Every structure is written in C-alpha cells, then in structure tokens.
Amino acid sequence: MTVLVLMRHGRTGYNAEGRLQGSLDVPLGEEGRLQAREAAAVLHATYGAPDRIVCSPLLRAADTAAELSAVTGVPARPDARLTQRSYGEWEGLTLEEVRERWPREYDRRHQGLDPRIEGWGKAADVSARVAEGLAEACEGARLVVAVSHGSAIMLGSLGLLGLDVHSTVLGKLPHAHWNVLESSAGRWSVARYGLSIASSLVDESADAD
C-alpha cells in the first residue's frame, strides 16, 4: 500500500488580503512560515520520514516543503505538474473585484464550472497533470508527501479517485492542512481529510489560493 499525504502551503500576504494568486509566485508570509514549520513537525512525528517529498515549484509551496525537508532530511523535488492552476485575468484581484467585473463568470466559477476568461487553467487539464505527477511520485514508494495548492490538490485528488473534475465533494484545504490518500491494488481512496497540526478534522473556510 502507498500512503500519499497532500499538504497545502502556508498562508501568504495575498491570502491574507483575499487575492487570487494562481500562477503568481507569491512567497509565504510570517504566519505561513510558522504554519509550515509546525505542520512539518507534526507530519514527521506522525508518519516519520517519507520516501519522497515532491512539491510545486512556486515559492509558497517550495518553502513549505523545505520545512519538512529540514526535519526529515529528505530533499524536496519540485515538479511543475503540481503547480497551481492559472487564474488568468483574475490573478492579483480580490474575489470582490472579480465579482464586480465578471459577474457571470464569477457565478460559473461558484457553480463548479470553468469561467470563460483569458488564461484560465481548465479543471480537466489541471486534474490530469496533477494526478499524473502524483501517481509518478508514488511509484514504488511506501509514503510520499506532496506540497501543493488548494485547487491543485482538490483537482489532482479527483483525478486519482476517478471522480468528476467539476465535483465540489472534496472542498478545499485551509493553509498548512493535509489530506491522506491510500492506494492499494491500483485503486485510490481517501483515508483522512482536512488534518491540521492538531491532527484533527476541521471545518474552516479556505482563503483564495
């Protein structure tokens, strides 16, 4: 059996302002670095050293993964397939600004559909590339930790599980929280969802990623 821990990066200044980041390379804020450090300690204490750590190459994910590398001694390998989806024209804007300027496309997004805007990373494409990267990282491994982004984790998980990429059944993770998926005989399942540094299930709104 393979255990895959999918961790969302720590909080950034853009997250605190409610701004969409997408493919923008925004670094962790002070709070986010503390979140990453605390989460790394809990993950190490709970699971021990993973066989592999993989991460999105964007700073907020790479720096979160670096905290886990520091305590486990396992280097983090960046994989561009784990990067966040592009939010196209919406990147850098707040959700309120998006709603004011693109009301119909904002509604489509909140219905689980791809908005029809320039540069948007379509759900099916993002799901396929993230799932491919995760599956490859897990080949021959007992335990893998992947550090990525809210939408990328959700869509990649849906891809591994064989679920509709427009489904909202999984929801998004708060910052520095993680999900646990397991693979046995080639089939993936959700073992735990929304774990935090307290190792408990949470019910918390996720900021814009």
Side-chain angles (χ1 to χ4, degrees), residues 70-103:
V71 296
T72 63
V74 179
R77 176 175 61 84
D79 186 334
R81 290 173 293 185
L82 305 185
T83 196
Q84 178 60 310
R85 77 190 311 167
S86 171
Y87 286 129
E89 297 176 279
W90 293 1
E91 291 186 347
L93 302 178
T94 66
L95 290 176
E96 184 59 33
E97 289 170 334
V98 168
R99 183 167 57 184
E100 289 177 359
R101 294 170 61 179
W102 292 272

Coordinates of all heavy atoms in Angstrom, one line a residue, residues 70-103:
A70 N 13.7 19.9 6.2 CA 14.7 20.3 7.3 C 14.5 19.3 8.5 O 15.5 19.0 9.1 CB 14.4 21.7 7.7
V71 N 13.3 18.8 8.7 CA 13.2 17.9 9.9 C 13.3 16.4 9.5 O 13.6 15.6 10.4 CB 11.8 18.2 10.6 CG1 11.8 19.6 11.2 CG2 10.7 17.9 9.7
T72 N 13.1 16.1 8.3 CA 13.2 14.7 7.9 C 14.5 14.3 7.2 O 14.9 13.1 7.1 CB 12.1 14.3 6.9 OG1 12.2 15.1 5.7 CG2 10.7 14.6 7.5
G73 N 15.2 15.3 6.7 CA 16.4 15.0 5.9 C 16.2 14.5 4.5 O 17.1 14.1 3.8
V74 N 14.9 14.6 4.1 CA 14.5 14.1 2.7 C 14.4 15.3 1.8 O 13.6 16.2 2.1 CB 13.2 13.3 2.7 CG1 12.8 12.9 1.3 CG2 13.3 12.1 3.6
P75 N 15.2 15.5 0.8 CA 15.1 16.6 -0.1 C 13.8 16.7 -0.8 O 13.2 15.6 -1.2 CB 16.3 16.5 -1.1 CG 16.5 15.0 -1.1 CD 16.2 14.5 0.3
A76 N 13.3 17.9 -1.0 CA 12.0 18.1 -1.8 C 12.3 18.2 -3.2 O 13.2 19.0 -3.6 CB 11.3 19.3 -1.2
R77 N 11.6 17.5 -4.1 CA 11.8 17.6 -5.5 C 10.7 18.4 -6.1 O 9.5 18.0 -6.1 CB 11.9 16.2 -6.1 CG 12.0 16.2 -7.6 CD 12.1 14.8 -8.2 NE 11.0 13.9 -7.9 CZ 9.9 13.9 -8.6 NH1 9.7 14.7 -9.6 NH2 8.9 13.1 -8.2
P78 N 11.0 19.5 -6.8 CA 9.9 20.3 -7.4 C 9.4 19.6 -8.7 O 10.2 19.0 -9.4 CB 10.6 21.6 -7.7 CG 12.1 21.3 -7.8 CD 12.3 20.2 -6.9
D79 N 8.2 19.7 -8.9 CA 7.5 19.1 -10.1 C 6.5 20.1 -10.6 O 5.5 20.4 -9.9 CB 6.8 17.8 -9.8 CG 6.3 17.1 -11.0 OD1 6.0 17.7 -12.0 OD2 6.2 15.8 -10.9
A80 N 6.8 20.7 -11.8 CA 5.9 21.7 -12.4 C 4.5 21.2 -12.5 O 3.5 22.0 -12.6 CB 6.5 22.2 -13.7
R81 N 4.2 19.9 -12.6 CA 2.9 19.4 -12.7 C 2.0 19.7 -11.5 O 0.8 19.6 -11.5 CB 2.9 17.9 -13.1 CG 3.4 17.6 -14.5 CD 3.6 16.1 -14.7 NE 4.7 15.6 -13.8 CZ 5.1 14.3 -13.9 NH1 4.6 13.5 -14.7 NH2 6.1 13.9 -13.1
L82 N 2.7 20.0 -10.4 CA 2.0 20.2 -9.1 C 1.7 21.7 -8.9 O 1.2 22.0 -7.8 CB 2.8 19.6 -7.9 CG 3.1 18.1 -8.0 CD1 3.8 17.7 -6.7 CD2 1.9 17.3 -8.4
T83 N 2.0 22.5 -9.8 CA 1.8 23.9 -9.6 C 0.3 24.3 -9.6 O -0.5 23.5 -10.1 CB 2.5 24.8 -10.7 OG1 2.6 26.1 -10.3 CG2 1.8 24.7 -12.0
Q84 N 0.0 25.4 -9.1 CA -1.4 25.9 -9.1 C -1.9 26.1 -10.5 O -1.2 26.5 -11.4 CB -1.5 27.1 -8.2 CG -2.9 27.7 -8.1 CD -3.9 26.8 -7.5 OE1 -4.1 25.6 -7.9 NE2 -4.7 27.2 -6.5
R85 N -3.3 26.0 -10.6 CA -3.9 26.4 -11.9 C -3.7 27.8 -12.1 O -3.6 28.6 -11.2 CB -5.4 26.0 -11.9 CG -6.2 27.0 -11.1 CD -7.6 26.6 -10.8 NE -8.3 26.1 -12.0 CZ -9.5 25.5 -11.9 NH1 -10.1 25.2 -10.8 NH2 -10.1 25.1 -13.0
S86 N -3.7 28.3 -13.4 CA -3.7 29.7 -13.7 C -5.1 30.3 -13.5 O -6.1 29.6 -13.9 CB -3.2 29.9 -15.1 OG -3.4 31.2 -15.5
Y87 N -5.2 31.4 -12.9 CA -6.4 32.1 -12.8 C -6.5 33.2 -13.9 O -7.4 34.1 -13.8 CB -6.6 32.7 -11.4 CG -6.9 31.7 -10.4 CD1 -6.2 31.6 -9.2 CD2 -7.9 30.7 -10.5 CE1 -6.5 30.6 -8.2 CE2 -8.2 29.8 -9.6 CZ -7.5 29.7 -8.4 OH -7.8 28.8 -7.5
G88 N -5.6 33.2 -14.8 CA -5.7 34.1 -16.0 C -5.9 35.6 -15.6 O -5.1 36.1 -14.7
E89 N -6.9 36.2 -16.1 CA -7.1 37.7 -15.9 C -7.4 38.0 -14.5 O -7.3 39.1 -14.0 CB -8.2 38.2 -16.8 CG -7.9 38.1 -18.3 CD -9.1 38.5 -19.1 OE1 -10.1 37.7 -19.3 OE2 -9.2 39.7 -19.5
W90 N -7.8 37.0 -13.7 CA -8.2 37.2 -12.3 C -7.0 37.3 -11.3 O -7.2 37.7 -10.2 CB -9.2 36.2 -11.9 CG -10.5 36.2 -12.6 CD1 -10.9 37.1 -13.6 CD2 -11.6 35.3 -12.4 NE1 -12.2 36.8 -14.0 CE2 -12.6 35.7 -13.3 CE3 -11.8 34.3 -11.5 CZ2 -13.9 35.1 -13.3 CZ3 -13.1 33.6 -11.6 CH2 -14.1 34.0 -12.4
E91 N -5.9 36.9 -11.7 CA -4.8 36.8 -10.8 C -4.4 38.2 -10.3 O -4.3 39.2 -11.0 CB -3.5 36.2 -11.5 CG -3.8 34.7 -11.8 CD -2.5 34.0 -12.3 OE1 -1.6 34.7 -12.7 OE2 -2.6 32.8 -12.3
G92 N -4.2 38.3 -9.0 CA -3.9 39.5 -8.3 C -5.1 40.3 -7.8 O -5.0 41.3 -7.1
L93 N -6.3 39.9 -8.2 CA -7.5 40.6 -7.8 C -8.2 39.9 -6.6 O -8.0 38.7 -6.4 CB -8.5 40.6 -9.0 CG -8.0 41.2 -10.3 CD1 -9.1 41.1 -11.4 CD2 -7.7 42.7 -10.1
T94 N -9.0 40.7 -5.9 CA -9.8 40.1 -4.9 C -11.0 39.5 -5.5 O -11.5 39.8 -6.6 CB -10.2 41.1 -3.8 OG1 -11.1 42.1 -4.4 CG2 -9.0 41.9 -3.3
L95 N -11.7 38.6 -4.7 CA -12.9 38.0 -5.2 C -14.0 39.0 -5.4 O -14.8 38.9 -6.3 CB -13.4 36.9 -4.2 CG -12.6 35.7 -4.1 CD1 -13.1 34.8 -3.0 CD2 -12.5 35.0 -5.4
E96 N -14.0 40.1 -4.6 CA -15.0 41.1 -4.8 C -14.8 41.9 -6.1 O -15.7 42.2 -6.8 CB -14.9 42.1 -3.6 CG -16.0 43.2 -3.6 CD -17.4 42.7 -3.7 OE1 -17.7 41.6 -3.0 OE2 -18.3 43.3 -4.3
E97 N -13.5 42.1 -6.4 CA -13.2 42.8 -7.7 C -13.6 41.9 -8.9 O -14.1 42.4 -9.9 CB -11.7 43.1 -7.7 CG -11.3 44.2 -6.8 CD -9.7 44.3 -6.7 OE1 -9.0 43.3 -6.9 OE2 -9.3 45.5 -6.3
V98 N -13.3 40.6 -8.7 CA -13.7 39.7 -9.8 C -15.2 39.7 -10.0 O -15.8 39.7 -11.1 CB -13.2 38.3 -9.4 CG1 -13.9 37.2 -10.4 CG2 -11.7 38.2 -9.5
R99 N -16.0 39.6 -8.9 CA -17.4 39.6 -9.0 C -18.0 40.9 -9.6 O -19.0 40.8 -10.4 CB -18.0 39.4 -7.6 CG -19.6 39.3 -7.6 CD -20.1 38.8 -6.2 NE -19.7 39.7 -5.1 CZ -20.0 39.4 -3.9 NH1 -20.6 38.3 -3.5 NH2 -19.5 40.2 -2.9
E100 N -17.4 42.0 -9.3 CA -17.8 43.3 -9.9 C -17.6 43.3 -11.4 O -18.4 43.8 -12.2 CB -17.2 44.4 -9.2 CG -17.6 44.7 -7.8 CD -16.9 45.8 -7.1 OE1 -16.0 46.4 -7.7 OE2 -17.2 46.1 -5.9
R101 N -16.4 42.8 -11.8 CA -16.0 43.0 -13.2 C -16.5 41.8 -14.1 O -16.7 42.0 -15.3 CB -14.5 43.1 -13.3 CG -14.0 44.4 -12.7 CD -12.5 44.4 -12.5 NE -11.8 44.3 -13.8 CZ -10.5 44.4 -13.9 NH1 -9.7 44.5 -12.8 NH2 -9.9 44.3 -15.1
W102 N -16.7 40.6 -13.6 CA -17.1 39.4 -14.3 C -18.2 38.7 -13.6 O -18.0 37.6 -13.2 CB -15.9 38.5 -14.5 CG -14.8 38.9 -15.4 CD1 -14.7 38.8 -16.8 CD2 -13.6 39.6 -15.0 NE1 -13.5 39.3 -17.2 CE2 -12.8 39.8 -16.1 CE3 -13.1 39.9 -13.7 CZ2 -11.5 40.4 -16.1 CZ3 -11.8 40.5 -13.7 CH2 -11.1 40.7 -14.8
P103 N -19.4 39.3 -13.4 CA -20.4 38.7 -12.6 C -20.9 37.3 -13.1 O -21.1 36.4 -12.3 CB -21.5 39.7 -12.6 CG -21.3 40.6 -13.8 CD -19.8 40.7 -13.9

